[in-house]
Amino acid sequence: MKKIQSIYPLYAKHTKDKGWGVFCRKRIPKGRVFEVAPIIYLPRKYCARMNNTPIDSYRFEFWGDATAIVMGFGSLYNHSEKGANSEYNVNRKTRTYSFYAIKDIPANTEIFHDYNWDESEYKKKKMKG
């Protein structure tokens, strides 16, 4: 079985306005996968129980029918609509998320993701779009 690992040296630290954030210790070139993270899969019947709880903003939709907590640094990447520098692919069979750079990410830069939420989600989670 393939190892689950952070391919690049990543670290998490508290940011001024978004809580935890994930940063890279060295430059990540565009197109490079920098983390493959396993998930904790939660079927649809558990999704409503997590609404409006502290875990709510850390979970991912898993192909529309369930939710997932992404391990490693996966659930800690902050949102940025305009400053996103990463995206992910989901592998349903292995239940992993692969995170990759959509532009060069300089060393010691925060890694951002555009979660493509509806505007109401940003307000609900007290985030800027």
Side-chain angles (χ1 to χ4, degrees), residues 73-103:
F73 293 106
S75 287
L76 298 178
Y77 296 112
N78 280 320
H79 164 77
S80 178
E81 187 176 6
K82 296 180 178 111
N85 52 18
S86 72
E87 289 184 358
Y88 62 85
N89 289 318
V90 179
N91 184 321
R92 237 175 121 96
K93 183 178 178 183
T94 63
R95 293 188 177 181
T96 57
Y97 280 53
S98 296
F99 294 88
Y100 63 95
I102 58 171
K103 56 176 103 173

Side-chain angles (χ1 to χ4, degrees), residues 39-86:
I39 67 158
I40 296 173
Y41 171 80
L42 297 161
R44 178 184 299 189
K45 67 182 179 178
Y46 298 110
C47 294
R49 293 181 193 177
M50 287 189 284
N51 291 340
N52 302 312
T53 67
I55 201 78
D56 191 25
S57 54
Y58 294 98
R59 63 190 176 131
F60 282 58
E61 181 178 289
F62 192 69
W63 284 44
D65 63 348
T67 195
I69 303 301
V70 182
M71 305 308 287
F73 293 106
S75 287
L76 298 178
Y77 296 112
N78 280 320
H79 164 77
S80 178
E81 187 176 6
K82 296 180 178 111
N85 52 18
S86 72

